[in-house]
């Protein structure tokens, strides 16, 4: 099959339009990043207006009839180009995004984003003051808007399916519920089994001065590689952002009382390296980003847990860490430290949770979100439901809403249907990891030498570079030979954590 | 008042345009302050896209039709509605002349050139910047061609920064300044050199930052609404109401950052003080660059280099920097007001500063008219530094590469700095008539009443009136170099022994 080397004009015109849309999407990321990292607090209302307008404009550019006509003109070409060509994928993804976006009125999109700006500001204050009632009206508003949004997709099995599809193309609520049921069946007894065990946390008592933590993070990022031009800033809730080609930004939160920042930095590195690893030829198209939230999370969790909590990693890095924190770690050996950072301890905070209890935090949110969206639970009753569930699943008492229902930024932003992708990411991470280990040999030995390049490059070659060319389940099948499957993940947890 | 649905629709559309401008401001601020250099190419694309889309949105037929269908004479001249229509119509008529592609191209070229400027300045490598300047100049020429021929080509460029101002008017004012300041510079030189050696030393950057913050907080900076960051070239921008960002450059061997901070505070407080009812309209910003600069220079010089200001602040400066323990306040005051020809515009004293501007004003006209070739710019620059200030330029980093403006594509911007100096004293004198004990207040470290006078008389107006109308309303007179020259003489001329 020989193709004309010059792109046909309709495709060129489509690409020009998509480039503008991508520029606006990147601008939105920057507006977000700026808001969380540097914007003076009083700027929030006007920023919300600006963000709303940019989002609406990007939406208008996408949903225009002109794009529809271009897509129609490109249809024969899409068939001709086939599945594995960049241009073919671009047309497919553009059509999917166009069709979904056409369903949603521009005004609703603008309103969602304006609300997001205001609600995040309210969440920040509510969390700081542990005052759920201050946030409740904003959450109520978000839910109303999300219901309206879901109603734009009447073919979805449930409203929740409509939301989930935005983050995880092709995934269904039923499938997630099945996978989560299987996980829960293993996790709850495993947590119970581990509950009696004494956990030695002497290694993590600190204090860990923040300057040295910064140094530690910088050394880890340098060894992981590919991140030399990145920014690392501080925010309440760590995140990664890619506001343009060659521009990846991570944030973390340092506390002298623990080393969470190291793990959150490795976590956000995973998100960042995925974005940075996308083939540059996909920049300024709709393909130039990760294929789904779960696949993204599989990479953040890979670098945080499968690398960052492994024996090999710490055999390499522990001496360095010890020399940075001689007071806190001088008398602690590597084995004790690795034991401590892998301790299973039911706790209040999702982002601080260990690999075993983490899933239970997610499964709770997944269920509460469905209940809130369906109106089965009132917003005002949410803290009580939350606290009861934490008590039941993890045996912990929630002292205040800042450590409970207000801990995460997501519902403030309007991310409902997003939480399950975290746990799907965990499941996916081990599927991909298994495949990498088959090809690369003993990863632990490589990490013990501080050598992360083979893994990073393998992931770039097999996962990152494709961006959104393949939908998530197709990519997963492409890489691992199988669609979403909880078995490897459960096997990993049992092997690593069973008493 | 404004229940006209057409006007409401116009306001809604203009608010969106302002939102996009605010978003562009974030792109710009981030590029200058936080962006990793490897992001510059993509940022240039994004900047161009947003500029193009903003332009398209503004020059849309819908806005054009609404403007055609609305008459400013239906409203009281002083109403927001009438101003909105007057100002927007003029903006619109200018904007429709410029193709969106050209706007986008200019933004993109500017973004790329600004990224190249930093390294070029660092290495004093004019050749590295030359192609970017050529591109900028070519784009500016194309820009000029979009408009009806003016009296002078430079008029078209000047109008973007100083609406309705003519090159000839500026030339007349600058001729006055040249005539008055040349002899003053000579008199001061003849009187013997002021000792300012103690202004050089080792000044901890963190301590400088702390002191700058202490000062600007006293002037009105709050953490809820403002930021202070570090950049090579200080600037102010405001990406939205209640979000004012200033930057400064903390240099290890002097305390210039304090004055740069007050300067940028002056720009910031003007934006901060624009009336809330003008926000998210084209009226919601400073009226012109010269009026803007009048406020930065007010807070930097009329406040920040005044004797009473330092009577309050000097003991605190001495505390922050023990370096000054043995320097008395009078000597410090004379040193920070020392008039002495030097290489760098932003470090120049109040008198010679204007000569730096006049030099740039002349070179810009010659460049745009093709009388000077860009590649000869360093030589021309150096020759004029010798002629106007009698000093030799050692390298381009300390000469033609010192400012970001030309890399940014701004031609016609520089004269507004000196015009700002002129206006600042006109406004200040008017304020003093009302406030009375200004010096006493400054000696007590108080600026609340001064700031409030400036806010209620000038800042709140935003772009409601033309720059000339604004100056006349505030000061009762047209732009006039007389008060400025008198101020400089009174403050800085050698006292007869």
């Amino acid at each position: 099959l020989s193709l004309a080397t010059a792109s046909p004009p309709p495709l060129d015109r489509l690409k020009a339009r998509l480039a503008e849309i991508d520029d606006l999407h990147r601008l939105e990321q920057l507006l977000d990043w700026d808001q969380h990292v540097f914007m003076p607090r009083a700027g929030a209302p006007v920023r919300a207006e600006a963000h709303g307008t940019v989002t609406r404009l990007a939406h208008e550019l996408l949903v225009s009839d002109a794009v529809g006509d271009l897509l129609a003109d490109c249809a024969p070409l899409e068939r001709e180009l086939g599945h594995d060509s960049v241009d073919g994928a671009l047309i497919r993804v553009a059509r999917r995004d166009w069709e979904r976006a056409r369903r949603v009125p521009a005004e609703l999109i603008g309103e969602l984003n304006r609300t997001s700006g205001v609600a995040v500001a309210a969440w920040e204050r509510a969390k700081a003051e542990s005052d759920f009632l201050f946030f409740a009206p904003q959450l109520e508003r978000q839910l109303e808007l999300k219901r309206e949004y879901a109603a734009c997709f009447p073919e979805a099995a449930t409203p929740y399916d409509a939301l989930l599809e935005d983050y995880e193309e092709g995934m269904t609520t039923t499938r997630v519920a099945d996978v989560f049921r299987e996980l829960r069946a293993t996790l709850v007894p495993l947590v119970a089994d581990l509950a009696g065990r004494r956990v030695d946390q002497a290694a993590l008592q600190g204090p860990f001065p923040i300057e040295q933590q910064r140094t530690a993070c910088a050394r880890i990022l340098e060894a992981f590689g590919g991140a030399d031009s990145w920014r690392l800033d501080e925010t309440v809730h760590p995140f990664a952002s890619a506001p343009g080609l060659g521009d990846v930004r991570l944030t973390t939160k340092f506390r002298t009382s623990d080393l969470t920042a190291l793990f959150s930095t490795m976590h956000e590195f995973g998100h960042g390296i995925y974005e940075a690893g996308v083939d540059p030829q996909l920049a300024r198209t709709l393909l130039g980003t990760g294929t789904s939230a779960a696949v993204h999370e599989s990479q953040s969790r890979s670098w945080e847990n499968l690398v960052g909590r492994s024996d090999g990693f710490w055999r390499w890095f522990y001496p360095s860490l010890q020399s940075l924190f001689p007071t806190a770690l001088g008398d602690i050996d590597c084995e004790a430290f690795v034991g401590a950072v892998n301790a299973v301890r039911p706790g209040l905070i999702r982002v601080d949770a260990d690999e075993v209890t983490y899933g239970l935090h997610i499964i709770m949110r997944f269920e509460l979100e469905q209940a809130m969206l369906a109106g089965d639970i009132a917003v005002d009753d949410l803290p009580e439901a939350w606290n009861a569930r934490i008590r039941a699943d993890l045996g912990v008492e929630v002292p205040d809403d800042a450590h409970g229902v207000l801990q995460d930024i997501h519902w403030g932003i309007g991310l409902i249907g997003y939480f399950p992708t975290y746990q799907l990411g965990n499941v996916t991470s081990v599927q991909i990891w298994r495949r990498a280990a088959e090809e690369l040999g003993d990863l632990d030995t490589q990490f013990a030498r501080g050598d992360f390049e083979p893994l990073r490059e393998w992931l770039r070659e097999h996962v990152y570079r494709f961006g959104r060319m393949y939908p998530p389940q197709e990519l997963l099948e492409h890489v691992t030979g199988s669609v979403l499957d909880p078995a490897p993940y459960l096997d990993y947890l049992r092997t690593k954590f069973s008493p | 008042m404004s229940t006209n649905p057409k006007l409401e629709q116009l306001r809604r559309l203009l608010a969106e345009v302002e939102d996009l401008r605010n978003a562009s401001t974030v792109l710009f601020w981030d590029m200058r302050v936080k962006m990793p250099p490897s992001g510059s190419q993509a940022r240039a694309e994004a900047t161009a896209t947003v500029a193009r889309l903003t332009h398209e949105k503004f020059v849309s037929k819908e806005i054009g039709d609404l403007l055609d269908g609305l008459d400013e004479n239906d409203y009281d001249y002083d109403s927001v509605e009438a101003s909105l229509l007057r100002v927007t119509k003029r903006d619109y008529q200018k904007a429709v002349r410029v193709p969106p592609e050209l706007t986008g191209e200019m933004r993109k070229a500017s973004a790329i050139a600004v990224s190249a400027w930093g390294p070029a300045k660092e290495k004093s490598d004019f050749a590295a910047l030359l192609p970017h300047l050529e591109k900028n100049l070519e784009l500016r020429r194309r820009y000029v061609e979009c408009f009806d021929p003016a009296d002078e080509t430079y008029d078209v460029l000047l109008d973007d920064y100083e609406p309705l101002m003519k090159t000839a008017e500026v030339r007349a004012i600058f001729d006055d300044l040249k005539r008055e300041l040349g002899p003053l510079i000579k008199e001061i030189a003849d009187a013997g050199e002021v000792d300012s050696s103690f202004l050089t030393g080792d000044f901890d950057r963190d301590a400088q930052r702390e002191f700058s913050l202490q000062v600007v907080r006293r002037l009105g900076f709050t953490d809820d609404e403002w930021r202070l960051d570090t950049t090579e070239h200080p600037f102010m921008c405001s990406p939205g109401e209640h979000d004012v960002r200033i930057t400064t450059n903390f240099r290890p061997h002097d305390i210039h950052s304090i004055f740069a901070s007050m300067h940028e505070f002056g720009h910031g407080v003007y934006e901060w003080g624009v009336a809330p009812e003008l926000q998210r309209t084209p009226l919601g910003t400073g009226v012109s660059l010269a009026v803007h600069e009048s406020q930065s220079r007010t807070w930097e010089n009329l406040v920040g280099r005044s004797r009473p200001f330092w009577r309050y602040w000097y003991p605190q400066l001495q505390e922050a920097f023990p370096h000054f323990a043995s320097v008395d306040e009078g000597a410090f005051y004379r040193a920070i007001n020392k008039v002495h020809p030097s290489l760098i515009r932003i470090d120049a004293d109040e008198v010679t500063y204007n000569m730096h501007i006049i030099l740039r004003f002349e070179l810009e006209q010659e460049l745009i008219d093709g009388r000077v070739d860009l590649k000869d710019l360093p030589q021309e620059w150096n020759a004029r530094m010798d002629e106007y200030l009698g000093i030799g330029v050692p390298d381009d980093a300390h000469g033609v590469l010192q400012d970001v403006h030309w890399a940014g594509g701004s031609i016609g911007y520089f004269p507004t700095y000196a015009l700002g100096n002129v206006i600042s004293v006109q406004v200040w004198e008017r304020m003093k008539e009302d406030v009375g004990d200004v010096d006493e207040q400054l000696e007590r470290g108080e600026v609340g009443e001064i700031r409030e006078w400036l806010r209620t008389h000038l800042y709140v107006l935003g772009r409601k009136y033309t720059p000339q109308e604004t100056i006349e309303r505030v000061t009762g007179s047209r732009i006039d170099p007389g008060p400025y020259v008198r101020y400089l003489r009174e403050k800085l001329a050698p006292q007869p022994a």
Side-chain angles (χ1 to χ4, degrees):
Chain A
L1 178 71
S2 83
L3 293 171
T5 45
S7 295
L11 183 59
D12 277 350
R13 295 210 300 282
L14 181 66
K15 283 180 174 175
R17 174 56 66 95
L18 298 179
E20 289 182 338
I21 294 167
D22 189 62
D23 284 342
L24 293 181
H25 289 163
R26 302 292 171 171
L27 170 58
E28 290 181 68
Q29 288 203 41
L30 183 73
L31 293 175
D32 263 339
W33 178 87
D34 180 79
Q35 172 157 3
H36 294 306
V37 184
F38 289 115
M39 189 187 75
R41 196 167 76 159
V46 172
R47 173 58 55 85
E49 298 285 358
H51 200 147
T53 295
V54 172
T55 307
R56 199 165 54 246
L57 182 56
H59 183 79
E60 284 167 8
L61 288 178
L62 179 63
V63 300
S64 64
D65 293 341
V67 169
D69 293 344
L70 288 171
L71 285 169
D73 291 347
C74 289
L77 184 68
E78 184 188 357
R79 284 189 294 275
E80 194 182 326
L81 289 170
H83 208 65
D84 294 321
S85 98
V86 170
D87 287 346
L90 181 62
I91 300 167
R92 179 191 71 76
V93 169
R95 175 169 292 108
R96 178 202 181 246
D97 288 0
W98 181 79
E99 281 171 356
R100 280 187 75 74
R102 289 278 277 196
R103 303 287 196 84
V104 188
E107 288 310 319
L108 177 56
I109 298 279
E111 190 52 32
L112 277 163
N113 283 282
R114 254 194 306 280
T115 303
S116 169
V118 177
V120 165
W123 168 78
E124 276 169 0
R125 186 174 142 188
K127 184 179 175 182
E129 294 165 12
S130 196
D131 179 6
F132 179 74
L133 289 180
F134 190 77
F135 176 58
Q138 300 299 334
L139 177 56
E140 190 69 71
R141 180 75 185 133
Q142 287 284 23
L143 286 166
E144 274 168 33
L145 292 171
K146 288 288 163 178
R147 286 182 201 116
E148 264 183 62
Y149 181 86
C152 303
F153 303 92
E155 74 283 9
T158 68
Y160 198 82
D161 281 273
L163 304 185
L164 186 60
E165 176 70 14
D166 274 348
Y167 311 117
E168 210 50 39
E169 183 180 353
M171 187 54 63
T172 63
T173 310
T174 307
R175 178 66 190 137
V176 177
D178 287 346
V179 171
F180 283 5
R181 197 173 306 115
E182 201 177 333
L183 293 180
R184 201 173 149 77
T186 300
L187 293 179
V188 171
L190 184 56
V191 171
D193 280 353
L194 293 167
R197 282 220 303 192
R198 208 189 140 270
V199 179
D200 186 0
Q201 288 288 292
L204 294 176
Q205 267 167 5
F208 303 102
I210 285 171
E211 266 322 299
Q212 280 87 312
Q213 289 197 50
R214 274 188 232 281
T215 306
C217 287
R219 285 182 194 168
I220 292 170
L221 291 178
E222 194 190 338
F224 281 2
D228 41 312
S229 70
W230 299 7
R231 292 191 59 87
L232 177 64
D233 295 283
E234 288 176 58
T235 46
V236 177
H237 196 96
F239 67 99
S241 177
L245 182 68
D247 185 356
V248 174
R249 304 171 183 209
L250 314 182
T251 74
T252 188
K253 181 172 74 174
F254 294 106
R255 296 185 296 216
T256 49
S257 55
D258 62 46
L259 291 172
T260 313
L262 266 62
F263 295 96
S264 89
T265 300
M266 291 190 270
H267 180 99
E268 302 307 337
F269 169 84
H271 285 304
I273 197 70
Y274 188 0
E275 290 293 312
V278 174
D279 190 330
Q281 68 164 325
L282 304 184
R284 301 188 79 228
T285 74
L286 297 180
L287 305 179
T289 187
T291 189
S292 78
V295 178
H296 236 299
E297 189 70 5
S298 78
Q299 293 316 298
S300 58
R301 298 296 270 180
S302 291
W303 288 94
E304 176 192 0
N305 289 333
L306 306 182
V307 177
R309 287 189 160 86
S310 70
D311 282 334
F313 173 83
W314 287 107
R315 279 208 299 282
W316 164 69
F317 194 62
Y318 191 64
S320 181
L321 193 74
Q322 237 178 346
S323 70
L324 285 169
F325 303 106
T327 319
L329 299 176
D331 297 332
I332 311 286
D333 68 24
C334 185
E335 199 184 337
F337 183 81
V338 174
V341 300
N342 281 297
V344 177
R345 287 194 314 164
L348 294 165
I349 306 296
R350 176 184 62 88
V351 295
D352 296 342
D354 55 78
E355 290 182 78
V356 178
T357 56
Y358 188 91
L360 295 170
H361 288 272
I362 294 303
I363 294 168
M364 170 185 75
R365 285 162 175 76
F366 169 65
E367 291 172 14
L368 286 177
E369 283 185 337
Q370 291 175 73
M372 281 195 292
L373 195 68
D376 295 341
I377 180 172
V379 165
D380 287 352
D381 298 332
L382 191 61
E384 205 179 312
W386 179 289
N387 299 350
R389 180 66 180 262
I390 289 282
R391 194 182 303 125
D393 272 12
L394 295 166
V396 191
E397 281 303 319
V398 178
D400 57 47
D401 291 338
H403 294 84
V405 67
L406 287 174
Q407 65 183 268
D408 291 312
I409 196 172
H410 300 63
W411 292 340
I413 297 174
L415 293 173
I416 296 171
Y418 189 92
F419 277 121
T421 66
Y422 288 128
Q423 189 60 6
L424 299 179
N426 284 331
V427 170
T428 305
S429 71
V430 179
Q431 288 184 264
I432 295 174
W433 184 261
R434 286 269 160 101
R435 187 75 195 90
E438 279 167 27
E439 288 196 17
L440 296 173
D442 188 358
L443 289 169
D444 221 42
T445 309
Q446 293 168 25
F447 298 164
R449 290 196 303 266
D451 187 4
F452 304 97
E453 193 184 337
L455 174 66
R456 193 189 71 231
E457 288 308 310
W458 187 93
L459 290 167
R460 187 199 303 278
E461 178 64 23
H462 292 84
V463 181
Y464 305 162
R465 71 183 173 97
F466 297 112
R468 289 180 73 200
M469 273 187 68
Y470 304 106
Q473 290 307 304
E474 197 177 318
L475 178 74
L476 192 59
E477 214 176 339
H478 208 275
V479 179
T480 70
S482 150
V483 294
L484 185 73
D485 172 12
Y489 175 63
L490 286 171
D491 187 42
Y492 160 81
L493 287 183
R494 279 192 213 99
T495 309
K496 184 168 177 180
F497 294 102
S498 280
Chain B
M1 279 289 287
S2 61
T3 47
N4 183 334
K6 277 188 178 172
L7 190 66
E8 285 311 302
Q9 175 63 1
L10 178 67
R11 276 176 177 275
R12 202 183 61 73
L13 294 172
L14 293 174
E16 290 184 346
V17 173
E18 290 308 309
D19 287 341
L20 294 178
R21 288 186 182 144
N22 284 339
S24 287
T25 303
V26 176
L27 285 173
F28 172 79
W29 178 85
D30 181 78
M31 181 180 79
R32 292 280 297 277
V33 183
K34 302 291 178 189
M35 187 187 75
S38 54
S40 62
Q41 183 62 40
R43 178 58 52 86
E45 299 281 6
T47 302
T49 295
V50 178
R52 196 169 56 246
L53 293 172
T54 309
H55 184 82
E56 281 171 9
K57 219 169 189 25
F58 182 58
V59 301
S60 68
K61 184 167 181 309
E62 193 180 3
I63 288 185
D65 290 346
L66 286 165
L67 288 171
D68 282 344
L70 287 159
D71 185 352
E72 58 270 32
N73 297 314
D74 292 346
Y75 301 91
D76 178 52
Y77 188 85
D78 292 324
S79 67
V80 173
E81 290 80 1
S83 290
L84 186 69
L85 292 171
R86 282 196 307 269
V87 172
T88 309
K89 282 181 180 180
R90 183 163 195 276
D91 288 353
Y92 188 85
Q93 281 150 14
K94 281 192 74 168
V96 289
R97 299 283 195 133
V98 186
E101 298 72 35
L102 180 58
T103 310
E105 224 182 312
M106 288 195 299
R107 291 289 181 92
K108 185 172 159 183
S110 153
I112 293 170
V114 166
S115 299
W117 169 74
K121 180 180 170 182
E122 205 169 300
K123 295 183 206 122
S124 196
D125 183 1
F126 180 75
L129 194 64
L130 183 59
H132 299 291
L133 294 178
E134 279 167 348
K135 179 76 183 163
N136 278 343
L137 190 62
E138 181 224 315
L139 290 168
R140 289 286 139 181
R141 291 215 175 92
R142 277 168 56 196
Y143 179 78
V144 168
E145 281 166 14
C146 300
F147 297 90
D148 292 334
D151 299 341
E152 302 180 49
T153 311
Y154 195 78
D155 284 345
V156 177
L157 301 175
L158 184 62
D159 192 82
D160 281 351
Y161 307 111
E162 208 51 34
L164 304 167
M165 177 70 81
K166 296 288 176 208
T167 311
E169 282 179 80
V170 180
R171 197 177 294 120
I173 293 166
F174 284 4
D175 282 348
D176 276 359
L177 291 183
K178 247 178 167 170
R179 193 177 55 245
E180 297 284 346
L181 300 185
L184 179 59
I185 292 169
K186 188 167 181 321
E187 278 170 58
I188 294 170
D190 290 346
E193 196 170 335
V194 168
D195 180 17
S196 62
S197 55
F198 49 79
L199 291 181
T200 305
D202 291 321
F203 301 99
D204 179 64
R205 285 170 198 254
D206 290 337
Q208 287 194 54
R209 190 181 147 76
E210 238 355 273
F211 193 79
S212 273
L213 277 171
Q214 212 180 321
V215 170
V216 293
R217 283 186 178 130
R218 186 98 193 162
L219 301 183
F221 175 111
T222 62
D223 292 347
D224 242 23
E225 296 182 295
W226 296 66
R227 290 192 54 82
L228 172 67
D229 293 278
T230 308
T231 50
E232 169 69 25
H233 196 97
F235 71 98
M236 182 285 304
C237 70
S238 174
E241 193 184 9
H242 306 302
D243 182 355
V244 184
R245 303 175 182 204
I246 60 178
T247 74
T248 190
N249 180 359
F250 299 102
R251 301 187 301 208
H253 301 306
D254 62 47
I255 54 163
H256 183 75
S257 62
I258 298 167
F259 298 99
S261 299
M262 289 192 276
H263 180 99
E264 301 307 333
F265 170 81
H267 283 303
V269 75
Y270 186 4
E271 290 295 312
W272 170 87
V274 171
E277 63 182 355
L278 306 182
Q279 299 291 342
R280 293 185 80 224
T281 80
L283 309 180
T285 186
V287 70
S288 75
L289 289 186
V291 178
H292 235 296
E293 189 71 5
S294 79
Q295 292 316 295
S296 58
R297 300 295 270 178
T298 294
W299 290 93
E300 175 192 358
N301 289 334
L302 306 184
V303 174
R305 278 185 228 272
S306 73
R307 192 71 196 252
F309 177 85
W310 284 105
R311 197 147 286 157
Y312 175 81
W313 281 102
Y314 194 60
Q316 297 179 59
L317 184 78
Q318 285 179 309
E319 202 174 304
F321 301 101
H323 173 90
F324 292 115
S326 60
V327 178
D328 74 41
E329 184 202 310
F332 178 79
Y333 171 74
R334 283 188 295 280
I336 60 169
N337 283 293
K338 176 180 175 177
V339 177
H340 186 73
S342 64
L343 290 165
I344 304 296
R345 175 183 64 85
I346 59 166
D347 296 342
D349 57 79
E350 288 183 80
V351 181
T352 59
Y353 185 92
N354 302 291
M355 307 310 282
H356 288 270
I357 295 304
I358 292 169
L359 169 155
R360 286 160 176 76
F361 171 64
E362 292 172 357
L363 283 177
E364 285 185 336
Q365 293 171 66
E366 290 163 30
L367 283 173
I368 198 77
D369 293 343
R371 283 176 282 150
V372 164
D373 203 88
L374 260 174
K375 69 173 165 33
D376 300 327
L377 194 59
Q379 292 90 297
E380 286 296 327
W381 178 288
N382 299 350
R384 250 169 264 224
M385 280 300 284
D386 184 41
E387 186 188 336
Y388 292 161
L389 290 167
I391 49 177
V393 177
D395 57 48
D396 292 338
H398 294 84
V400 69
L401 288 176
Q402 65 182 270
D403 292 311
V404 74
H405 303 61
W406 290 341
S410 299
I411 299 176
Y413 188 125
F414 278 121
T416 66
Y417 288 127
L419 295 175
N421 288 337
V422 168
I423 298 164
S424 70
V425 177
Q426 290 182 267
V427 174
W428 185 257
E429 292 196 344
R430 182 66 192 78
M431 181 272 296
K432 278 179 125 173
E433 286 173 25
D434 284 354
V435 174
D437 60 341
V438 166
D439 285 358
E440 290 76 3
Q441 294 188 21
L442 289 175
E443 278 183 18
R444 294 195 299 271
E446 290 166 14
V447 298
E449 202 183 332
I450 297 169
R451 189 184 62 231
E452 193 55 14
W453 190 96
L454 292 168
R455 186 182 74 78
T456 52
H457 289 78
L458 174 59
Y459 304 163
V460 289
L461 299 179
R463 291 180 74 210
K464 266 189 84 174
Y465 302 102
T466 68
Q468 193 61 52
E469 281 174 322
T470 304
I471 295 164
E472 283 189 45
R473 276 178 173 263
V474 177
T475 70
S477 121
R478 285 183 66 83
I479 184 165
D480 170 13
Y484 178 55
V485 170
R486 278 199 300 281
Y487 156 82
L488 289 179
R489 276 216 160 266
E490 270 167 38
K491 179 175 178 182
L492 300 165
Q495 305 300 313

